Amino acid sequence: MNRAALQRTALIYDFDGTLAPGNLQEHGFISALGMSNEEFWREANGRARDEDADQILAYMRLMLEKSTERGTPITRHALRAHGATVALFPGLGDKSWFRRMNAHAAAWGLALEHYILSSGVEEMIRGCAIVDQFHDVFASKFIYNEHDEAIWPAVAINYTTKTQYLFRINRGIDNHWDSAAMNRYMAKEARAVPFGRIIFIGDGDTDVPAMKMVTYKGGCAIAVYDPRTSPEHLDKIHRLIADRRVDFVAPADYSRNGQLDIIVKGILSRIARDAESAGGE
């Protein structure tokens, strides 16, 4: 089948806790600052509270400050090196998850595109082994000087601004800066990826606005969890179902024939059938 004739469909993932355990900064970066994970996040969150600041901007500023204090400025190369150490959830490292999903989607007449939408640092994500499988990465990022050193936050994607990027994907806008294209009227049928062909995978509270937006607009949301997670986190996952924020819940295991494999394939098949019933609209 000609790929150009296939219907664009988006599978959008959070990163931290969704594709890999924990937070990106916890895979070597924080320890290189001479801090424990608990110390770093306590200081970052405390600063956000005390200064009435955005939590993402607060942690990015703390990254810059602590690195400068130690005489080791943050560079793209260093961030990518840290990202390369991230241990991914089962089924992702060999990229077989992406091959299976792409093949299943194509068999149903869908052109599947994978996206990352994360509050984490883009350059760390771009250092991970599977980044070449993604159509685009929307994440928090720094501005760099002529020495390739991070000097200021360029983009901070928090829990609610994630919803903006759902609309960017929906409209086919592949950048952070073009507000005019975001605000311009675009007919529903002209949009690159209708919400009904969007699947969002996240791991809990930080993804709630995005999950709610996707389901409200006719797409599907899946909450995943680390099987080793705390009972308190599992309680939050249960509430996502009770509050109708998500359609499905599964362990963060991307292996063949696992729960997530079966769920996503089923959703893709349903998307294709619904599109056919609606005449492809």
Side-chain angles (χ1 to χ4, degrees), residues 147-199:
H147 304 296
D148 206 34
E149 297 170 349
I151 57 173
W152 198 258
V155 174
I157 298 180
N158 64 30
Y159 313 148
T160 54
T161 56
K162 280 186 177 184
T163 58
Q164 173 197 151
Y165 291 90
L166 297 175
F167 283 98
R168 288 187 181 272
I169 293 167
N170 168 247
R171 287 168 167 261
I173 302 169
D174 61 357
N175 60 63
H176 297 271
W177 60 266
D178 195 346
S179 298
M182 276 291 291
N183 293 326
R184 189 178 303 122
Y185 172 77
M186 181 181 286
K188 197 174 179 180
E189 60 273 13
R191 301 198 176 199
V193 187
F195 274 96
R197 296 206 298 270
I198 290 178
I199 305 168

Side-chain angles (χ1 to χ4, degrees), residues 80-273:
R80 291 194 180 202
H82 282 295
T85 69
V86 172
L88 302 165
F89 280 124
L92 292 171
D94 63 359
K95 306 178 185 180
S96 59
W97 163 264
F98 303 97
R99 292 192 295 271
R100 291 197 311 277
M101 294 306 111
N102 293 344
H104 184 84
W108 281 89
L110 305 175
L112 185 61
E113 298 171 352
H114 303 265
Y115 294 82
I116 289 176
L117 177 50
S118 172
S119 297
V121 177
E122 179 182 312
E123 291 299 338
M124 286 184 172
I125 293 171
R126 292 198 179 278
C128 76
I130 57 173
V131 71
D132 61 341
Q133 300 298 303
F134 294 92
H135 185 81
D136 213 335
V137 174
F138 293 109
S140 302
K141 59 193 295 187
F142 291 102
I143 292 173
Y144 298 84
N145 64 16
E146 65 274 16
H147 304 296
D148 206 34
E149 297 170 349
I151 57 173
W152 198 258
V155 174
I157 298 180
N158 64 30
Y159 313 148
T160 54
T161 56
K162 280 186 177 184
T163 58
Q164 173 197 151
Y165 291 90
L166 297 175
F167 283 98
R168 288 187 181 272
I169 293 167
N170 168 247
R171 287 168 167 261
I173 302 169
D174 61 357
N175 60 63
H176 297 271
W177 60 266
D178 195 346
S179 298
M182 276 291 291
N183 293 326
R184 189 178 303 122
Y185 172 77
M186 181 181 286
K188 197 174 179 180
E189 60 273 13
R191 301 198 176 199
V193 187
F195 274 96
R197 296 206 298 270
I198 290 178
I199 305 168
F200 184 89
I201 303 179
D203 70 307
D205 285 353
T206 61
D207 299 305
V208 165
M211 290 171 168
K212 186 64 177 176
M213 177 63 72
V214 169
T215 56
Y216 175 75
K217 289 285 192 177
C220 285
I222 304 169
V224 296
Y225 62 92
D226 187 334
R228 301 165 298 179
T229 196
S230 66
E232 293 79 11
H233 184 70
L234 284 177
D235 285 342
K236 292 180 181 180
I237 296 293
H238 297 158
R239 286 198 296 273
L240 290 175
I241 304 172
D243 295 340
R244 301 182 186 275
R245 304 295 180 92
V246 298
D247 301 287
F248 301 94
V249 172
D253 184 338
Y254 296 78
S255 303
R256 181 184 296 275
N257 297 330
Q259 285 179 246
L260 198 54
D261 182 274
I262 294 168
I263 288 169
V264 174
K265 284 179 178 177
I267 295 171
L268 290 169
S269 302
R270 187 173 71 191
I271 287 171
R273 285 179 171 170

